[in-house]
Amino acid sequence: QVQLVESGGGLVQPGGSLRLSCAASESIFSFYAMVWYRQAPGKQRELVARVTSGGMTNYADSVKGRFTISRDTAKNTVNLQMNTLKPEDTAVYYCNAELQVGIYRYQWGQGTQVTVSS
């Protein structure tokens, strides 16, 4: 079964760091982009970061300078390094692959919970 598996979430204090990973069961080489989204309670899912097959990245304004997305086509993984975490980063984080902007390869999975709290 073709799928993505997110991992790496947890509870962290404000100012701390977490590294999320997303493993695909197939090659991600040909996808237009890999993306991380997040959804906080009572809010819509929002794009956090995108990395294209050409290596271009873009980030939500709220995470610029703190988060870094990277992809490893040899391992079929995409990672999200999150530094200087804030309580407002608390959300369920999801990854996916884009065949083109807004067209996703996978159904959304269960994601991984990130909680930033003291």
Side-chain angles (χ1 to χ4, degrees), residues 4-10 12 18-22 35-41 45-49 59-60 62-63 66-69 79-96 108-116:
L4 291 172
V5 179
E6 302 104 336
S7 63
V12 63
L18 282 175
R19 183 176 176 85
L20 305 184
S21 292
C22 174
V35 294
W36 281 98
Y37 275 74
R38 69 185 179 187
Q39 187 167 20
R45 188 174 294 164
E46 63 171 350
L47 177 66
V48 176
Y59 298 91
S62 59
V63 308
R66 300 188 296 120
F67 290 12
T68 303
I69 188 171
N79 301 309
L80 186 68
Q81 178 66 42
M82 306 186 297
N83 299 327
T84 319
L85 283 160
K86 304 176 180 180
E88 51 264 42
D89 295 318
T90 295
V92 179
Y93 285 70
Y94 304 87
C95 69
N96 214 320
W108 296 100
Q110 293 187 342
T112 185
Q113 175 71 49
V114 171
T115 302
V116 185

